[in-house]
Amino acid sequence: GRLEFPINHKAIIHAKYIIVQGELDIEVNHPTVKYENEGVRFILTGTQDVIFNPAQPNDAACPNNGCLLGPKPFLIAGGKVRIDSIPDNKCKTHTPVLKKIYQSPIYSPDDFPSVVTLPESCPISGLQFVSYDFESTLGNWTGREGAFVSLTSDGALAVTNRKLRERGPHLDITPISPMSCLVPNQDYLFVARMKLDMANGTMQGQSTTCKTSGEYCPRLSARYHDLSYDRRNTKKYLAQSIAPNYGQWFDLTGAITFDE
């Protein structure tokens, strides 16, 4: 069959998988690319592997028990897909993965960043420098400049008394030997599971200010002094396009690099 969305139609589709065997047609012709002009959004969910059994006459392509696609696949198994959403048609909207693999040079794993273990000089071994589950302790987390932090019954760190947006949770890594553990010019991944709530408990499920206007978005900030004692500051903001609603859990991630 054919699934065609009206031009500039807004829709959010939640699914465990998307498999196209007919035609899928989406067109957004706004003159600029921005959050307000977003059209169709696909949100793939689930963690279970998907088994695909093609329709006839292609059923022999996946014999026996079908083709294993893994979790959350977006598969073009037949037919065609047209997604036209870029004002300048010189830009590609997608690149077929198999075409990229077969026609491009073979890359070496050394061309890409890899996960490294902490150095032998570090009193902590393994891959993680710091990790907190907030089940029983706050560790070295405090509230910045007057904010209060406390543990919740469901294993989270709650931040209250935030009079300014800069007054969020603060982690001091000085007591855990950063000079012996962190390597200059090495990327370190920060990951936190978060949600935003109004202090008075209202607006649950409604859009945050970050989502509606791009203002007051959560940010990751790392401050330190280099070997010349110059102060450095790295900031990573949550993108408005993935901003949550109030009361909705989301992931705040960012790479931090410490210059020498």
Side-chain angles (χ1 to χ4, degrees), residues 115-165:
V115 177
V116 297
T117 58
L118 295 169
E120 294 182 0
S121 59
C122 181
I124 306 169
S125 61
L127 301 175
Q128 294 184 341
F129 179 50
V130 291
S131 179
Y132 295 93
D133 57 17
F134 302 119
E135 291 291 343
S136 59
T137 178
L138 292 171
N140 293 325
W141 287 92
T142 59
R144 186 168 183 268
E145 297 182 358
F148 301 148
V149 293
S150 59
L151 296 177
T152 67
S153 60
D154 56 351
L157 180 148
V159 184
T160 55
N161 197 47
R162 293 184 62 232
K163 303 300 182 182
L164 297 173
R165 59 180 173 178

Side-chain angles (χ1 to χ4, degrees), residues 19-36:
I19 298 177
V20 179
Q21 298 188 81
E23 294 186 26
L24 174 63
D25 192 284
I26 303 173
E27 181 176 349
V28 178
N29 65 359
H30 294 293
T32 58
V33 177
K34 57 182 180 178
Y35 176 76
E36 292 80 3

Side-chain angles (χ1 to χ4, degrees), residues 64-206:
N64 300 324
N65 296 321
C67 292
L68 176 62
L69 304 182
K72 296 184 288 190
F74 193 119
L75 174 67
I76 314 302
K80 64 180 181 179
V81 172
R82 188 181 78 94
I83 302 177
D84 187 358
S85 61
I86 305 297
D88 184 355
N89 59 15
K90 296 179 182 179
C91 297
K92 292 184 178 180
T93 57
H94 72 285
T95 298
V97 176
L98 289 180
K99 180 179 178 181
K100 183 70 174 179
I101 292 176
Y102 292 139
Q103 295 185 359
S104 298
I106 298 176
Y107 295 99
S108 168
D110 296 334
D111 296 334
F112 302 91
S114 58
V115 177
V116 297
T117 58
L118 295 169
E120 294 182 0
S121 59
C122 181
I124 306 169
S125 61
L127 301 175
Q128 294 184 341
F129 179 50
V130 291
S131 179
Y132 295 93
D133 57 17
F134 302 119
E135 291 291 343
S136 59
T137 178
L138 292 171
N140 293 325
W141 287 92
T142 59
R144 186 168 183 268
E145 297 182 358
F148 301 148
V149 293
S150 59
L151 296 177
T152 67
S153 60
D154 56 351
L157 180 148
V159 184
T160 55
N161 197 47
R162 293 184 62 232
K163 303 300 182 182
L164 297 173
R165 59 180 173 178
E166 293 85 1
R167 295 179 180 176
H170 175 264
L171 173 64
D172 182 9
I173 63 173
T174 306
I176 49 179
S177 306
M179 295 293 290
S180 301
C181 299
L182 302 180
V183 179
N185 304 316
Q186 170 72 46
D187 287 339
Y188 292 93
L189 179 64
F190 176 90
V191 180
R193 189 76 171 157
M194 302 175 57
K195 70 171 180 169
L196 303 175
D197 293 312
M198 295 290 290
N200 58 9
T202 61
M203 297 187 67
Q204 289 292 297
Q206 299 183 40

Side-chain angles (χ1 to χ4, degrees), residues 222-239:
R223 296 182 178 181
Y224 64 98
H225 289 87
D226 60 19
L227 294 180
S228 300
Y229 292 97
D230 292 329
R231 184 175 179 177
R232 302 294 186 93
N233 192 8
T234 300
K235 297 180 180 179
K236 305 288 184 179
Y237 288 86
L238 182 74

